[in-house]
Short mmCIF file of all heavy atoms in Angstrom, two decimals:
data_model
loop_
_atom_site.label_atom_id
_atom_site.label_comp_id
_atom_site.label_asym_id
_atom_site.label_seq_id
_atom_site.Cartn_x
_atom_site.Cartn_y
_atom_site.Cartn_z
N ASP A 267 -13.35 1.48 -10.44
CA ASP A 267 -12.68 0.94 -9.30
C ASP A 267 -12.90 1.79 -8.05
O ASP A 267 -13.14 1.25 -6.94
CB ASP A 267 -11.17 0.85 -9.54
CG ASP A 267 -10.85 -0.14 -10.63
OD1 ASP A 267 -11.48 -1.22 -10.66
OD2 ASP A 267 -9.96 0.09 -11.44
N LEU A 268 -12.93 3.10 -8.20
CA LEU A 268 -13.18 4.01 -7.10
C LEU A 268 -14.59 3.77 -6.56
O LEU A 268 -14.77 3.66 -5.33
CB LEU A 268 -13.02 5.46 -7.53
CG LEU A 268 -13.45 6.50 -6.48
CD1 LEU A 268 -12.54 6.42 -5.23
CD2 LEU A 268 -13.36 7.91 -7.06
N LEU A 269 -15.58 3.66 -7.41
CA LEU A 269 -16.94 3.41 -6.96
C LEU A 269 -17.05 2.11 -6.30
O LEU A 269 -17.79 1.96 -5.25
CB LEU A 269 -17.90 3.51 -8.19
CG LEU A 269 -17.95 4.79 -8.97
CD1 LEU A 269 -19.10 4.73 -9.93
CD2 LEU A 269 -18.07 6.00 -8.00
N GLN A 270 -16.37 1.11 -6.78
CA GLN A 270 -16.41 -0.25 -6.12
C GLN A 270 -15.90 -0.22 -4.71
O GLN A 270 -16.50 -0.76 -3.79
CB GLN A 270 -15.65 -1.27 -6.99
CG GLN A 270 -15.77 -2.69 -6.44
CD GLN A 270 -14.97 -3.69 -7.28
OE1 GLN A 270 -14.43 -3.33 -8.33
NE2 GLN A 270 -15.01 -4.95 -6.89
N VAL A 271 -14.75 0.42 -4.52
CA VAL A 271 -14.14 0.47 -3.17
C VAL A 271 -15.03 1.30 -2.23
O VAL A 271 -15.12 1.03 -1.06
CB VAL A 271 -12.68 0.89 -3.18
CG1 VAL A 271 -11.82 -0.01 -3.99
CG2 VAL A 271 -12.52 2.35 -3.69
N CYS A 272 -15.59 2.38 -2.77
CA CYS A 272 -16.49 3.20 -1.94
C CYS A 272 -17.69 2.39 -1.48
O CYS A 272 -18.15 2.53 -0.32
CB CYS A 272 -16.95 4.43 -2.72
SG CYS A 272 -15.68 5.69 -2.92
N LEU A 273 -18.25 1.60 -2.37
CA LEU A 273 -19.41 0.76 -2.00
C LEU A 273 -19.01 -0.31 -1.00
O LEU A 273 -19.74 -0.52 0.02
CB LEU A 273 -20.01 0.13 -3.24
CG LEU A 273 -20.85 1.02 -4.15
CD1 LEU A 273 -21.08 0.34 -5.54
CD2 LEU A 273 -22.19 1.35 -3.50
N MET A 274 -17.88 -0.93 -1.22
CA MET A 274 -17.44 -1.98 -0.31
C MET A 274 -17.14 -1.40 1.08
O MET A 274 -17.32 -2.05 2.10
CB MET A 274 -16.23 -2.69 -0.85
CG MET A 274 -16.49 -3.54 -2.11
SD MET A 274 -17.46 -5.02 -1.74
CE MET A 274 -16.24 -5.98 -0.79
N ALA A 275 -16.58 -0.22 1.13
CA ALA A 275 -16.18 0.41 2.39
C ALA A 275 -17.37 1.13 3.02
O ALA A 275 -17.23 1.67 4.15
CB ALA A 275 -15.03 1.42 2.14
N LYS A 276 -18.51 1.23 2.33
CA LYS A 276 -19.65 1.95 2.81
C LYS A 276 -19.30 3.41 3.11
O LYS A 276 -19.79 4.00 4.07
CB LYS A 276 -20.28 1.29 4.05
CG LYS A 276 -20.82 -0.09 3.80
CD LYS A 276 -21.42 -0.68 5.04
CE LYS A 276 -22.08 -2.03 4.78
NZ LYS A 276 -21.17 -3.04 4.25
N CYS A 277 -18.47 3.94 2.22
CA CYS A 277 -17.99 5.35 2.31
C CYS A 277 -18.32 5.98 0.97
O CYS A 277 -17.46 5.99 0.05
CB CYS A 277 -16.53 5.36 2.68
SG CYS A 277 -15.82 7.03 2.76
N LEU A 278 -19.49 6.52 0.85
CA LEU A 278 -19.98 6.93 -0.47
C LEU A 278 -19.70 8.39 -0.79
O LEU A 278 -19.69 8.79 -1.98
CB LEU A 278 -21.52 6.77 -0.52
CG LEU A 278 -22.00 5.33 -0.15
CD1 LEU A 278 -23.54 5.24 -0.28
CD2 LEU A 278 -21.36 4.30 -1.11
N LYS A 279 -19.43 9.23 0.15
CA LYS A 279 -19.25 10.63 -0.11
C LYS A 279 -18.11 10.96 -1.10
O LYS A 279 -18.23 11.82 -1.96
CB LYS A 279 -19.03 11.40 1.22
CG LYS A 279 -19.02 12.91 1.07
CD LYS A 279 -18.96 13.60 2.41
CE LYS A 279 -18.96 15.09 2.27
NZ LYS A 279 -18.85 15.80 3.60
N PRO A 280 -16.93 10.27 -0.98
CA PRO A 280 -15.84 10.55 -1.94
C PRO A 280 -16.23 10.26 -3.38
O PRO A 280 -15.59 10.81 -4.28
CB PRO A 280 -14.71 9.67 -1.48
CG PRO A 280 -14.98 9.40 -0.06
CD PRO A 280 -16.47 9.31 0.08
N ALA A 281 -17.24 9.42 -3.60
CA ALA A 281 -17.61 9.07 -4.99
C ALA A 281 -18.50 10.13 -5.61
O ALA A 281 -18.58 10.20 -6.88
CB ALA A 281 -18.31 7.70 -5.01
N LEU A 282 -19.20 10.91 -4.83
CA LEU A 282 -20.19 11.83 -5.34
C LEU A 282 -19.66 12.89 -6.32
O LEU A 282 -20.28 13.15 -7.37
CB LEU A 282 -20.95 12.54 -4.19
CG LEU A 282 -21.77 11.63 -3.33
CD1 LEU A 282 -22.50 12.39 -2.23
CD2 LEU A 282 -22.83 10.86 -4.16
N PRO A 283 -18.46 13.52 -6.07
CA PRO A 283 -17.99 14.50 -7.08
C PRO A 283 -17.76 13.86 -8.45
O PRO A 283 -17.98 14.54 -9.48
CB PRO A 283 -16.68 14.96 -6.46
CG PRO A 283 -16.84 14.78 -5.00
CD PRO A 283 -17.64 13.52 -4.86
N PHE A 284 -17.40 12.59 -8.49
CA PHE A 284 -17.17 11.89 -9.76
C PHE A 284 -18.45 11.51 -10.41
O PHE A 284 -18.50 11.41 -11.66
CB PHE A 284 -16.25 10.66 -9.54
CG PHE A 284 -14.90 11.00 -9.03
CD1 PHE A 284 -14.62 11.08 -7.71
CD2 PHE A 284 -13.84 11.27 -9.96
CE1 PHE A 284 -13.35 11.37 -7.20
CE2 PHE A 284 -12.59 11.56 -9.50
CZ PHE A 284 -12.35 11.62 -8.14
N LEU A 285 -19.48 11.28 -9.66
CA LEU A 285 -20.79 10.92 -10.21
C LEU A 285 -21.56 12.15 -10.67
O LEU A 285 -22.36 12.06 -11.62
CB LEU A 285 -21.62 10.18 -9.14
CG LEU A 285 -21.08 8.78 -8.77
CD1 LEU A 285 -21.91 8.21 -7.62
CD2 LEU A 285 -21.13 7.84 -9.93
N GLU A 286 -21.35 13.26 -10.04
CA GLU A 286 -22.06 14.51 -10.39
C GLU A 286 -21.43 15.14 -11.65
O GLU A 286 -22.05 16.04 -12.28
CB GLU A 286 -22.06 15.51 -9.23
CG GLU A 286 -22.93 14.96 -8.07
CD GLU A 286 -22.69 15.77 -6.80
OE1 GLU A 286 -21.80 16.68 -6.83
OE2 GLU A 286 -23.32 15.45 -5.78
N GLN A 287 -20.20 14.74 -11.97
CA GLN A 287 -19.53 15.30 -13.14
C GLN A 287 -20.16 14.68 -14.42
O GLN A 287 -20.47 13.52 -14.51
CB GLN A 287 -18.05 14.93 -13.11
CG GLN A 287 -17.27 15.26 -14.37
CD GLN A 287 -17.14 16.78 -14.54
OE1 GLN A 287 -16.81 17.50 -13.62
NE2 GLN A 287 -17.43 17.24 -15.74
N GLU A 288 -20.35 15.56 -15.43
CA GLU A 288 -20.86 15.09 -16.74
C GLU A 288 -19.68 14.79 -17.65
O GLU A 288 -18.80 15.59 -17.82
CB GLU A 288 -21.76 16.14 -17.35
CG GLU A 288 -23.02 16.40 -16.57
CD GLU A 288 -23.94 17.38 -17.24
OE1 GLU A 288 -23.52 17.96 -18.26
OE2 GLU A 288 -25.07 17.61 -16.72
N TYR A 289 -19.68 13.54 -18.22
CA TYR A 289 -18.56 13.10 -18.98
C TYR A 289 -18.91 13.17 -20.49
O TYR A 289 -20.02 12.80 -20.92
CB TYR A 289 -18.18 11.68 -18.64
CG TYR A 289 -17.70 11.58 -17.21
CD1 TYR A 289 -18.60 11.19 -16.18
CD2 TYR A 289 -16.43 11.88 -16.83
CE1 TYR A 289 -18.17 11.10 -14.86
CE2 TYR A 289 -16.00 11.87 -15.53
CZ TYR A 289 -16.90 11.44 -14.57
OH TYR A 289 -16.47 11.35 -13.25
N SER A 290 -17.97 13.65 -21.27
CA SER A 290 -18.16 13.78 -22.70
C SER A 290 -17.15 13.05 -23.51
O SER A 290 -17.18 13.05 -24.76
CB SER A 290 -18.17 15.30 -23.09
OG SER A 290 -16.95 15.89 -22.69
N GLU A 291 -16.13 12.44 -22.88
CA GLU A 291 -15.11 11.73 -23.66
C GLU A 291 -14.53 10.56 -22.78
O GLU A 291 -14.59 10.59 -21.55
CB GLU A 291 -14.02 12.67 -24.13
CG GLU A 291 -13.29 13.37 -22.98
CD GLU A 291 -12.24 14.32 -23.52
OE1 GLU A 291 -11.14 13.79 -23.90
OE2 GLU A 291 -12.48 15.55 -23.53
N LEU A 292 -13.96 9.59 -23.49
CA LEU A 292 -13.30 8.48 -22.82
C LEU A 292 -11.80 8.62 -22.98
O LEU A 292 -11.32 9.00 -24.06
CB LEU A 292 -13.74 7.16 -23.41
CG LEU A 292 -15.21 6.77 -23.34
CD1 LEU A 292 -15.52 5.50 -24.05
CD2 LEU A 292 -15.66 6.69 -21.91
N LEU A 293 -11.06 8.36 -21.92
CA LEU A 293 -9.61 8.45 -22.00
C LEU A 293 -9.04 7.10 -22.44
O LEU A 293 -9.04 6.15 -21.70
CB LEU A 293 -9.05 8.87 -20.60
CG LEU A 293 -7.52 9.02 -20.56
CD1 LEU A 293 -7.07 10.09 -21.58
CD2 LEU A 293 -7.13 9.47 -19.15
N THR A 294 -8.58 7.07 -23.67
CA THR A 294 -8.05 5.83 -24.21
C THR A 294 -6.52 5.84 -24.33
O THR A 294 -5.89 4.81 -24.33
CB THR A 294 -8.64 5.54 -25.61
OG1 THR A 294 -8.31 6.60 -26.50
CG2 THR A 294 -10.17 5.41 -25.55
N ASP A 295 -5.97 7.02 -24.51
CA ASP A 295 -4.52 7.17 -24.72
C ASP A 295 -4.01 6.29 -25.81
O ASP A 295 -2.98 5.62 -25.72
CB ASP A 295 -3.74 6.84 -23.42
CG ASP A 295 -3.77 8.01 -22.44
OD1 ASP A 295 -3.82 9.17 -22.91
OD2 ASP A 295 -3.68 7.78 -21.21
N GLY A 296 -4.82 6.24 -26.89
CA GLY A 296 -4.36 5.48 -28.07
C GLY A 296 -4.67 4.03 -28.03
O GLY A 296 -4.54 3.34 -29.05
N GLY A 297 -5.09 3.50 -26.92
CA GLY A 297 -5.45 2.08 -26.82
C GLY A 297 -6.94 1.88 -26.86
O GLY A 297 -7.72 2.84 -26.90
N GLN A 298 -7.37 0.65 -26.84
CA GLN A 298 -8.79 0.35 -26.78
C GLN A 298 -9.34 0.53 -25.38
O GLN A 298 -8.63 0.24 -24.41
CB GLN A 298 -9.04 -1.09 -27.26
CG GLN A 298 -8.69 -1.36 -28.72
CD GLN A 298 -9.07 -2.73 -29.15
OE1 GLN A 298 -9.73 -3.47 -28.42
NE2 GLN A 298 -8.66 -3.12 -30.33
N PHE A 299 -10.57 0.99 -25.32
CA PHE A 299 -11.26 1.19 -23.99
C PHE A 299 -12.27 0.09 -23.85
O PHE A 299 -13.23 -0.02 -24.61
CB PHE A 299 -11.93 2.56 -24.00
CG PHE A 299 -12.35 3.00 -22.61
CD1 PHE A 299 -11.60 3.97 -21.91
CD2 PHE A 299 -13.48 2.50 -21.99
CE1 PHE A 299 -11.97 4.37 -20.62
CE2 PHE A 299 -13.85 2.83 -20.74
CZ PHE A 299 -13.09 3.80 -20.05
N ASP A 300 -12.05 -0.74 -22.84
CA ASP A 300 -12.98 -1.86 -22.59
C ASP A 300 -14.33 -1.31 -22.13
O ASP A 300 -14.42 -0.65 -21.14
CB ASP A 300 -12.36 -2.79 -21.51
CG ASP A 300 -13.10 -4.12 -21.46
OD1 ASP A 300 -14.24 -4.23 -21.89
OD2 ASP A 300 -12.46 -5.12 -20.98
#
Side-chain angles (χ1 to χ4, degrees):
D267 293 322
L268 173 63
L269 300 189
Q270 184 180 358
V271 298
C272 287
L273 284 166
M274 291 290 292
K276 296 181 175 60
C277 178
L278 305 180
K279 188 175 180 180
L282 294 180
F284 296 91
L285 293 174
E286 293 166 359
Q287 173 67 48
E288 294 183 355
Y289 297 97
S290 58
E291 59 182 283
L292 300 177
L293 182 56
T294 60
D295 279 332
Q298 295 184 9
F299 194 103
D300 194 335

